[in-house]
Amino acid sequence: MPRRLALLALLSVLSLAATGRAQELDQAVAGLEATYGKVNDLRAEFTQAAHNRSLGQDIKAEGTVYLKKGGKMRWDYKSPSPQQIVSDGSSLWVYTPELNQVNKGSAPKALAGPAGSFLAGLGRVRDQFTVRFLDPASKVDASGRPVLDLTPKNPTPLLTRLVLTVDPKDSIVRQAVLYDQFQNTVTMTFTKVTVNAGLADSLFAFTPPPGAAVVPLEPR
């Protein structure tokens, strides 16, 4: 085969391979957006591992999370110590029983940005993120789940990168790794995921316990 034809053939193969990768990425993202676009509420068990890069420390936690469109969320931490983070879409409360303290703030302000509304954000991934496979040469993990590397189009100090591991069967996120500006990470692993169970709005209401100190979430 003449050299020019050989180069043309090679370029054609590379072009087809790149097109195939783009199609696979488009399919993974489209599946994620379609699934979360239809999710009104979600409940899951979670484990969390927060890694402080400069200190080389890992802090583990676990609990149950409830999410509902409209900025509603509830994170019930069971370990290492009980804590609740609750938002009704308007106000955000962080209750720490061992301190008998409630931090209260504005939910829209506290949850602003691509990490703020998990359901809404994943329903329109490409609007807020630039997306690629974490490893283009090996697009799935050992369990055969696509791993997507998302870069926010408008990064914040608390979120400069997001890596999602997606179940190919239902396009539900099974793991999310959040990076901040210092490359500290929070890895969230989700199990026993239930969607559209009809979670009541009362689940996302919070009343400070009697005697608890209520302080602003953000300094005045």
Side-chain angles (χ1 to χ4, degrees):
M1 180 184 293
R3 183 179 179 182
R4 180 176 297 177
L5 291 179
L7 289 173
L8 182 60
L10 177 59
L11 289 173
S12 297
V13 170
L14 292 175
S15 176
L16 288 172
T19 301
R21 287 195 295 270
Q23 289 176 341
E24 289 176 349
L25 180 61
D26 286 343
Q27 289 172 356
V29 174
L32 188 67
E33 291 182 328
T35 293
Y36 281 88
K38 297 175 183 176
V39 174
N40 185 60
D41 60 58
L42 179 150
R43 178 196 182 280
E45 303 295 310
F46 72 88
T47 58
Q48 173 181 304
H51 176 70
N52 186 302
R53 186 182 181 191
S54 62
L55 298 178
Q57 291 181 341
D58 292 285
I59 300 176
K60 296 183 178 180
E62 63 179 10
T64 305
V65 59
Y66 307 85
L67 302 171
K68 189 171 183 176
K69 282 189 174 176
K72 299 179 178 68
M73 69 175 190
R74 182 186 185 105
W75 297 79
D76 288 337
Y77 284 84
K78 293 182 288 189
S79 68
S81 59
Q83 188 178 56
Q84 290 182 332
I85 303 174
V86 183
S87 168
D88 61 4
S90 177
S91 297
L92 178 74
W93 298 271
V94 179
Y95 173 47
T96 308
E98 65 181 2
L99 299 178
N100 198 25
Q101 178 175 295
V102 177
N103 295 90
K104 182 181 178 181
S106 165
K109 183 177 181 180
L111 303 177
S117 180
F118 194 81
L119 297 181
L122 295 185
R124 43 190 177 86
V125 171
R126 288 196 188 273
D127 288 349
Q128 301 189 35
F129 298 92
T130 299
V131 189
R132 69 178 187 90
F133 284 116
L134 181 63
D135 181 359
S138 179
K139 296 175 282 293
V140 298
D141 65 7
S143 300
R145 302 175 300 184
V147 184
L148 304 178
D149 192 355
L150 287 67
T151 302
K153 294 180 179 179
N154 296 297
T156 67
L158 294 179
L159 184 68
T160 60
R161 183 184 180 196
L162 178 63
V163 176
L164 301 178
T165 301
V166 183
D167 192 324
K169 297 177 183 178
D170 54 16
S171 293
I172 293 291
V173 172
R174 302 297 174 178
Q175 186 176 84
V177 184
L178 295 82
Y179 291 75
D180 70 9
Q181 62 180 337
F182 303 112
Q183 294 298 293
N184 301 313
T185 61
V186 177
T187 301
M188 309 287 297
T189 302
F190 302 100
T191 58
K192 300 180 181 178
V193 180
T194 303
V195 300
N196 295 336
L199 299 180
D201 287 342
S202 59
L203 188 63
F204 307 97
F206 182 84
T207 300
V214 180
V215 298
L217 189 62
E218 308 93 3
R220 294 187 183 278

